[in-house]
Amino acid sequence: MRFQSQKIAWYFFAACMGLFVLQLIYGFILGFDRMGWEGLHEIIPFNVARATHTNLLVVWLLAGFMGAAYYIIPEEADREIWSPKLAWIQYFSLLAVGVVAIIGYHFNIWEGRKFLEIPRPLDYLVVVNVLAFLFNILMTIWKGKRMTTTAMVLFFGLLTAALLYLPGMWTFDNLVHDSYFRWWVVHLWVEGVWELIMGAILSFLLIKLTGVDREVIEKWLYIIVGFTFLSGILGTGHHYYFTGGPSYWLMIGGVFSALEPLAFLGMALYAIAMARRGGRKHPNRIALSWTIGCAVMSFVGAGALGFAHTLPQVNLWTHGTLVTAMHGHMAFWGAYCMLILALISYALPEMTGRKNYKGWMPEWAFWCSNIGMICMTGAFAVMGVAQVYLERKAGMDFLDVQEGLEVHAFALILAGALFTFGIVLFVKNFISYGLPSDEAMIANASEADATASDSGSTDAIDGAAAPQA
Amino acid sequence: MLTKSAAKAFFLGGTALCSIAFVLLSMDTLAQFPERSNQDEMTESVVRGHMIWNKNNCMGCHTLLGEGAYYAPELTQVVKRRSDVWLTEFLKDPERMFPGRRKMVKYDFYDADEVGAEEAKKNIDDTLAFFHWVARIDTNGFPAEPDMAPANALATAPIAANSILNAAPEYVKSVCIGCHSIEGQGGTVGPALDGVADRFDAEYLRKWVADPLSVKPDTTMPNLGLKGEQLDDILNFLGTLKEN
Ligand code: HEM
Ligand code: HEM
Ligand SMILES: [Fe+2]
């Protein structure tokens, strides 16, 4: 940490921890429902638990992205955050909106489109909130001493994510239209602009942790996000096969989405190659584990498991089954949850001055959560494939099949317990660091950091355009 | 080797091209939607049904067009599997049709006791109108017919040629069979109806079928509100269910 205002990031990260734990509690409610233990049905029916589970995920990831921006942008722009006060207002209002929305779900107040359940009035508040956030970040970059590629990609990712929130607020009388524009948010977020955010945060971490030259890292960043958009935009077609769209989407969606794993493969190879290449050993090894783990697990969860059901011949049978849930869990975990946890692991010692990345706890947090997630994915995979064959292909009754799979829901819960154990360790480790402190900032300034040699972007265009504060 | 500005040009150029292609294709798709979804048949009732669907997040348990949650049956073709009468009875109180199994929410707005008979009927009719409209959307073949099933293993197996059920009124085939079996075909919620005419006299059967709750106040068989000719037809058929 080099600037005092970066401390705000810590509060965003703390919110992530709390919301994540709450998300897992709702995950268990869903798991028990699936086991046939529907004791909470009267107060929290499955659809309430599910909307809460997924919305908490999205809210904590967004809080994580914002925290990441407040941490990274000052460092990249080489100045304090433009308005820490605005950041605080934005912090509390984001949490308030999230909490109100989730309470509302428990009273059947929502819009009932998966992932976009937030009711309309709150949508407007989200928009205002995100505008305030973007403005603050933009001003920080604008007034900063330099304009790096990493900062620009991060900003561009955040800006387009905000813009793509808007089509989700458009509702129609015709169900087919509803579905069409829902994917502009859901798909173009996770398989489009969020990957820019992911690429930028990975770049930042790799620059800090490996000491590889910024020019090299940022060049590859462009190539990877180039592949993301080349495949991901038209890849949206893999959601238009069977939802009322014309049949040309079978071809276009199939071909382009089949290329999407390349971007994730690129991300994984890039992280591993940079870590090998970097001459310098940063003492915070666990942050590097999360960074590389993120790149690798996102390739498995999004790339490989996404590819597994993206071709129309396969998707005809797997569309809307637990196969999708299998892919959704590991993809979100690998690409976005691990990304935030990687940045938190890197930033905590910087912000607090404590070196609690040593010892067994952070190691166990990493391994238990990842092994737990692999097992959860396995349990979903068994349920998904069984559902596809028994119900979709052999024509058995839906409920009969589901009841036969209750034992696998028990396996899911066991795997989820291991996963949760890892996360609890991570949170304990987070707490053990304590609050961020200004002394840490001074101490860090004197300590040799991989950034010592990092003179910023010399990219002709980026560099020349950078105005001085 | 590739320079950073070439990499940047690749990113910007690729993104611009793909975005333009995507917008053009979207315009074409939007132009085709009205026909592919029979938008002209989207009556007010259908639209209200859609609103009920959205407002209550039915998608948080079910899938429709394969989108939603995986906890409850896919509903795109539900009107092909279930008759309107069955669905009407089901929506009034889902638990009744599947006692002790995975739960659906019992919604007040489908329940005559909560919102009045007229309002409840309207909400059910709107929901069904919506499902009938959805079933006709051109989905490029989703959901596919099961391709690994021996014909008689299908959940909706056709009635065997020599079954007494061929003589049954439509109502029996679409509603009673949801809960009772006849010659091994049908549900297991209520007892099998084979030989029912041996067990009960016609008088009792009439009273029972017309209003089970008046005969046995704690029974789980729903009051289906049958009367007139329809009731007569059903009872005539029940009278033929003898074993000796
Ligand atoms: C980090 C990136 C990704 C995340 C977080 C993610 C997550 C998800 C989620 C949550 C869904 C369910 C969406 C819904 O029904 O509303 C989904 C569906 C889907 N994803 Fe991904 N995904 C990612 C990348 C990919 C990639 C790279 C591919 C293809 C290679 C892919 C292929 C699919 C397909 C085909 C579906 C539709 C499944 C169905 O028909 O039910 N995904 N994904
Ligand atoms: C304690 C561990 C967890 C359990 C037991 C659990 C269980 C579940 C269940 C049963 C569903 C509903 C599937 C259905 O519709 O039937 C679900 C949905 C979902 N969960 Fe989890 N979950 C857990 C942790 C997580 C984590 C850590 C993430 C983030 C990476 C996550 C992300 C999601 C997503 C994105 C969906 C929506 C999937 C889709 O619509 O395809 N869950 N979860
Ligand atoms: Fe997608």
Side-chain angles (χ1 to χ4, degrees), chain A residues 222-285:
Chain A
Y222 272 133
I223 300 285
I224 287 169
V225 296
F227 268 111
T228 297
F229 280 165
L230 217 48
S231 58
I233 295 176
L234 289 169
T236 316
H238 66 182
H239 303 292
Y240 297 155
Y241 299 156
F242 310 120
T243 51
S247 54
Y248 52 68
W249 286 116
L250 299 181
M251 188 66 180
I252 296 171
V255 169
F256 282 89
S257 69
L259 297 174
E260 284 181 41
L262 284 181
F264 287 97
L265 182 64
M267 211 94 75
L269 293 179
Y270 156 81
I272 294 170
M274 295 304 152
R276 287 237 179 115
R277 205 163 144 175
R280 190 175 177 286
K281 262 202 184 320
H282 194 284
N284 190 346
R285 302 313 289 164

Side-chain angles (χ1 to χ4, degrees), chain A residues 372-387:
Chain A
M373 180 50 74
I374 292 169
C375 297
M376 276 174 60
T377 308
F380 272 122
V382 171
M383 289 196 275
V385 172
Q387 182 188 2

Side-chain angles (χ1 to χ4, degrees), chain A residues 30 33-36 38 41-42 45-48 50-51 108-114 117 149 153 156 171-184 188 196 214-215 218-220 222-227 229-231 233-234 236-237 239-250 252 256 315-317 319-322 324-325 387 389 391-400 402-403 406 457-459 461-462, chain B residues 1-34 36-39 42 46-48 50-51 53-74 76 81-82 95 98-107 109 130 133-134 137-150 153-156:
Chain A
L30 295 171
D33 278 346
R34 285 206 148 275
M35 256 179 77
E38 295 180 297
H41 175 75
E42 296 298 329
F46 190 86
N47 58 345
V48 173
R50 195 183 204 280
N108 208 25
I109 303 171
W110 42 21
E111 265 178 21
R113 287 168 306 148
K114 185 163 120 188
E117 289 93 346
T149 301
V153 172
F156 188 58
T171 45
F172 301 87
D173 284 349
N174 191 333
L175 175 80
V176 171
H177 285 94
D178 261 1
S179 154
Y180 194 82
F181 287 107
R182 188 175 78 89
W183 291 113
W184 282 35
L188 288 177
L196 294 193
R214 179 183 279 273
E215 277 302 288
E218 292 185 340
K219 177 173 85 186
W220 286 106
Y222 272 133
I223 300 285
I224 287 169
V225 296
F227 268 111
F229 280 165
L230 217 48
S231 58
I233 295 176
L234 289 169
T236 316
H239 303 292
Y240 297 155
Y241 299 156
F242 310 120
T243 51
S247 54
Y248 52 68
W249 286 116
L250 299 181
I252 296 171
F256 282 89
N315 196 255
L316 176 63
W317 302 101
H319 182 44
T321 63
L322 285 161
T324 309
Q387 182 188 2
Y389 276 92
E391 181 204 335
R392 295 287 166 91
K393 285 179 96 60
M396 268 175 75
D397 176 64
F398 177 89
L399 275 185
D400 290 347
Q402 295 289 319
E403 278 162 7
E406 280 172 1
S457 173
T458 51
D459 182 306
I461 302 159
D462 286 344
Chain B
M1 242 324 250
L2 189 71
T3 63
K4 187 165 160 187
S5 49
K8 187 172 179 177
F10 163 74
F11 164 63
L12 292 175
T15 304
L17 270 180
C18 288
S19 303
I20 293 169
F22 185 63
V23 168
L24 291 177
L25 286 166
S26 291
M27 279 160 59
D28 182 67
T29 300
L30 292 177
Q32 293 199 36
F33 272 162
R36 295 180 60 89
S37 64
N38 309 302
Q39 197 159 297
M42 229 168 64
V46 170
V47 173
R48 274 197 304 267
H50 181 199
M51 290 307 127
W53 177 261
N54 276 2
K55 255 183 75 182
N56 297 286
N57 195 9
C58 308
M59 200 189 190
C61 287
H62 290 279
T63 50
L64 191 62
L65 302 179
E67 280 182 31
Y70 323 119
Y71 194 64
E74 163 40 67
T76 310
R81 254 196 326 265
R82 309 282 192 192
E95 178 92 32
F98 299 92
R101 304 189 77 181
R102 190 175 276 182
K103 291 194 174 70
M104 167 151 155
V105 179
K106 178 171 189 267
Y107 287 104
F109 51 80
F130 174 62
W133 170 79
V134 167
I137 296 173
D138 184 347
T139 57
N140 295 326
F142 177 84
E145 281 299 319
D147 65 348
M148 286 172 46
L154 292 179
T156 48

